[in-house]
């Protein structure tokens, strides 16, 4: 495999194309050179006047030997494009989580006890479709986004004695797994991290 073709495969990992024009253009000149080489080899192996057979043999052999790497490039580009789309969707979701967390924090910071927050906020949370779940160490604000996706925001007691919202958010990721996410760094978190305000 030529260095140019290897570079084409390598670049497809970095900058996936939106169409197949570049995919077909990359090995185009290699096709011409390859056809000439195969044609010469076939002419040497089958000397005589069967020119048409030689030409078609060269074309068929070239197609067989080049279709596999071309399909590999197509699959690589498709996979990379899907990964880019997934990353963009995750960034959009993460930004929305940060906005919700900031809003809930602004509300929670007006209270110093879980009971006072529950008495004051239970009704309007219900009106907004947010389920309030009381746990031993925190209050869980559960948002059901659709039949599968959800987000959980945890109201905890801060060091200053006032309530705040943890940077850890419970959610269902793109693989339909229930996970905890640190919205400050975008990485997976542990359950004990919920009660730490970063």
């Amino acid at each position: 495999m030529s260095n140019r073709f290897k570079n084409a495969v390598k670049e497809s990992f970095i900058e996936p194309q939106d169409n197949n024009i570049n995919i077909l253009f990359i090995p185009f000149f290699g096709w011409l050179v390859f056809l000439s080489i195969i044609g010469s080899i076939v002419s040497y192996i089958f000397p005589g006047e069967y020119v048409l057979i030689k030409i078609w043999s060269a074309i068929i052999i070239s197609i067989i030997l080049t279709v596999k790497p071309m399909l590999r490039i197509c699959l690589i580009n498709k996979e990379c494009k899907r990964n880019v789309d997934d990353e963009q969707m995750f960034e959009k979701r993460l930004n929305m989580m940060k906005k919700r967390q900031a809003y809930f924090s602004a509300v929670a910071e007006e209270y110093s006890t879980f009971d006072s927050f529950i008495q004051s906020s239970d009704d309007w949370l219900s009106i907004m479709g947010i389920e309030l779940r009381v746990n031993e160490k925190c209050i869980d604000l559960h948002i059901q986004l659709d039949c599968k996706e959800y987000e959980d925001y945890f109201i905890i007691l801060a060091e200053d004695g006032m309530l705040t919202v943890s940077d850890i958010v419970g959610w269902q990721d793109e693989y339909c797994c229930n996970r905890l996410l640190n919205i400050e760094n975008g990485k997976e978190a542990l359950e004990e991290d919920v009660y730490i305000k970063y």
Side-chain angles (χ1 to χ4, degrees), residues 80-142:
C80 289
K81 188 176 187 303
R82 186 178 67 179
N83 291 339
V84 170
D85 292 341
D86 290 344
E87 184 176 348
Q88 291 175 347
M89 290 180 62
F90 174 75
E91 289 296 328
K92 185 177 179 180
R93 179 88 178 267
L94 184 62
N95 289 333
M96 183 56 66
M97 287 180 178
K98 291 180 179 179
K99 292 179 181 179
R100 291 191 179 111
Q101 189 264 359
Y103 175 76
F104 291 139
S105 291
V107 175
E109 287 170 359
E110 298 179 3
Y111 303 91
S112 59
T113 64
F114 293 145
D115 289 338
S116 61
F117 177 83
I118 293 171
Q119 292 175 3
S120 175
S121 306
D122 193 17
D123 287 341
W124 73 265
L125 286 173
S126 299
I127 293 173
M128 295 176 63
I130 301 173
E131 183 181 354
L132 192 151
R133 300 174 177 176
V134 182
N135 299 316
E136 184 178 353
K137 296 182 179 180
C138 68
I139 296 176
D140 178 5
L141 303 181
H142 179 81

Side-chain angles (χ1 to χ4, degrees), residues 4-23:
R4 183 176 182 181
F5 193 82
K6 289 179 179 178
N7 291 334
V9 174
K10 182 178 179 181
E11 290 174 0
S12 65
F13 279 102
I14 302 173
E15 296 182 357
Q17 305 296 327
D18 293 333
N19 52 58
N20 292 329
I21 296 177
N22 293 331
I23 296 175

